[in-house]
Amino acid sequence: MRFLKIRAYDRAAAVAYAHRWAYGRNPRYYDFENIGGDCTNFASQVLFAGSGVQNHTPQTGWYYHTVSDRAPAWTGVKFLAEFLLQNKGVGPFAAVQPLQTAEPGDLIRLQTVGHASFHHMPVVVAVGSPPTVENILVAAHSADCDNRPLVAWPIRRAELLHILGVRQP
């Protein structure tokens, strides 16, 4: 097993990417809007902008080459959360933390009223002091938005996925 270095997640690069593409689609990636939603694809693009590395482990990794050559974690809310929380290999990794610890570049898993499970994943782009659902601002696809207060969704459950760092060879 090779040794992996841990480095900081580039939150500024992640947020800059989120602002750049919140209301558009980067042509390098397929737009999943009409086949289930594009929120996690967008969140993954933001994570990649801030991490610079992908994890090419078949099935359990996190990568995108083409629409037909990608990991489930690139586009699935459940799978991206599992990857970030369990990743011990290359790429970004996270921990569930209280919303009050949110930082720009983090992800929030949402379950809204009328849904049985987590189904949406906006990206934190700004926070107030202290962070609250009223002043945590996010960007997202699938109902595209930027600088939208988290409280704008009818939240049933919200889970902060705080990005702790990035592992690389």
Side-chain angles (χ1 to χ4, degrees):
M1 187 165 126
R2 63 184 178 179
F3 177 74
L4 298 175
K5 292 187 324 184
I6 295 177
R7 64 172 171 78
Y9 173 59
D10 188 340
R11 293 177 181 281
V15 170
Y17 186 96
H19 288 314
R20 166 69 178 91
W21 293 105
Y23 292 109
R25 300 297 186 267
N26 184 331
R28 291 185 212 150
Y29 301 94
Y30 185 80
D31 179 1
F32 294 87
E33 190 66 38
N34 294 321
I35 55 170
D38 199 56
C39 70
T40 309
N41 178 40
F42 176 67
S44 284
Q45 291 173 43
V46 170
L47 274 174
F48 183 52
S51 67
V53 295
Q54 297 179 18
N55 181 311
H56 296 278
T57 305
Q59 299 304 313
T60 60
W62 171 75
Y63 63 89
Y64 179 100
H65 298 143
T66 67
V67 66
S68 58
D69 184 10
R70 68 183 194 282
W74 192 271
T75 53
V77 171
K78 174 184 181 225
F79 301 112
L80 179 54
E82 287 173 357
F83 170 78
L84 288 170
L85 296 173
Q86 298 170 13
N87 182 27
K88 303 289 186 226
V90 172
F93 57 99
V96 173
Q97 292 188 350
L99 283 177
Q100 297 79 7
T101 64
E103 293 182 53
D106 286 340
L107 307 180
I108 298 178
R109 230 178 9 166
L110 289 180
Q111 177 188 7
T112 58
V113 173
H115 291 270
S117 62
F118 290 114
H119 65 95
H120 193 45
M121 192 169 285
V123 177
V124 177
V125 294
V127 297
S129 182
T132 67
V133 292
E134 289 83 16
N135 66 24
I136 294 173
L137 305 180
V138 298
H141 279 183
S142 300
D144 295 2
C145 64
D146 193 15
N147 289 309
R148 183 179 187 189
L150 189 58
V151 72
W153 279 276
I155 298 171
R156 191 166 171 194
R157 284 192 306 163
E159 190 171 83
L160 177 71
L161 299 174
H162 179 66
I163 309 303
L164 299 171
V166 179
R167 289 189 188 92
Q168 65 182 44

